[in-house]
Amino acid sequence: MNKVRYFIGLLVFIAIFSLLVYGAGGNLFILLDVLSIVITAVLTIVLLRTGWTFREMGKAFSAAFDEREDKPSLSVADAFFTAMGRYLNLSAVLGTVTGVIITMRYLTDKTQLGPNLALALLSILYAVLLQLAVVVPMRAMIQKKLK
């Protein structure tokens, strides 16, 4: 039941975010930037991989949905999602600082300002979206089971 509730909530979250973007006169495609995705999402996965195997990462996600999970496994899953949230935050800061530095480097070239500022801001946006869509709900489900 938790899994169905999570995915319904995720779909509602995506729908509301999409409506906000379209309501502001934009479209979702302008929010796609490969470098920002690499800095935020891929770097987070690489950093998580230093402390957890892919199997352990999968178990952390499963623990949020499995009603029979024991407390030690839930504690490990909670630590995983805590680390994931921190890595997302740090990756966003890295992307933002990188974008600002590159912007400052090319301050005289007005054609470079937009893409470089987009890198800075989209890194933060991706981190926030992943926090809201993955980290916060998973930790909430795990914390609820730990109490």
Side-chain angles (χ1 to χ4, degrees):
M1 185 62 180
N2 275 344
K3 198 179 276 191
V4 172
R5 222 179 349 199
Y6 170 74
F7 285 109
I8 289 172
L10 185 61
L11 288 173
V12 170
F13 173 76
I14 292 168
I16 291 171
F17 179 74
S18 300
L19 287 172
L20 291 172
V21 170
Y22 286 118
N27 66 55
L28 292 177
F29 295 110
I30 63 170
L31 297 179
L32 293 178
D33 180 64
V34 174
L35 187 54
S36 298
I37 292 169
V38 168
I39 289 174
T40 308
V42 175
L43 183 61
T44 298
I45 292 168
V46 168
L47 290 170
L48 284 169
R49 183 63 181 89
T50 63
W52 286 273
T53 65
F54 287 118
R55 175 172 277 175
E56 290 170 327
M57 290 183 207
K59 285 182 181 179
F61 279 92
S62 296
F65 299 113
D66 189 358
E67 297 298 327
R68 301 173 312 247
E69 202 65 55
D70 59 350
K71 291 214 186 267
S73 296
L74 289 169
S75 294
V76 170
D78 188 48
F80 169 78
F81 286 109
T82 300
M84 184 179 190
R86 289 180 181 153
Y87 290 149
L88 278 169
N89 292 340
L90 293 172
S91 297
V93 169
L94 179 66
T96 302
V97 169
T98 303
V100 169
I101 290 171
I102 295 170
T103 299
M104 294 300 174
R105 169 70 177 94
Y106 294 106
L107 209 50
T108 57
D109 184 3
K110 299 212 186 301
T111 62
Q112 294 292 318
L113 292 178
N116 294 325
L117 285 175
L119 169 68
L121 296 174
L122 286 173
S123 296
I124 294 171
L125 177 68
Y126 293 154
V128 169
L129 290 176
L130 286 170
Q131 287 268 14
L132 289 172
V134 178
V135 176
V136 172
M138 294 294 170
R139 283 206 67 213
M141 286 187 275
I142 291 166
Q143 290 288 324
K144 186 177 175 181
K145 291 177 188 177
L146 281 171
K147 291 187 182 204

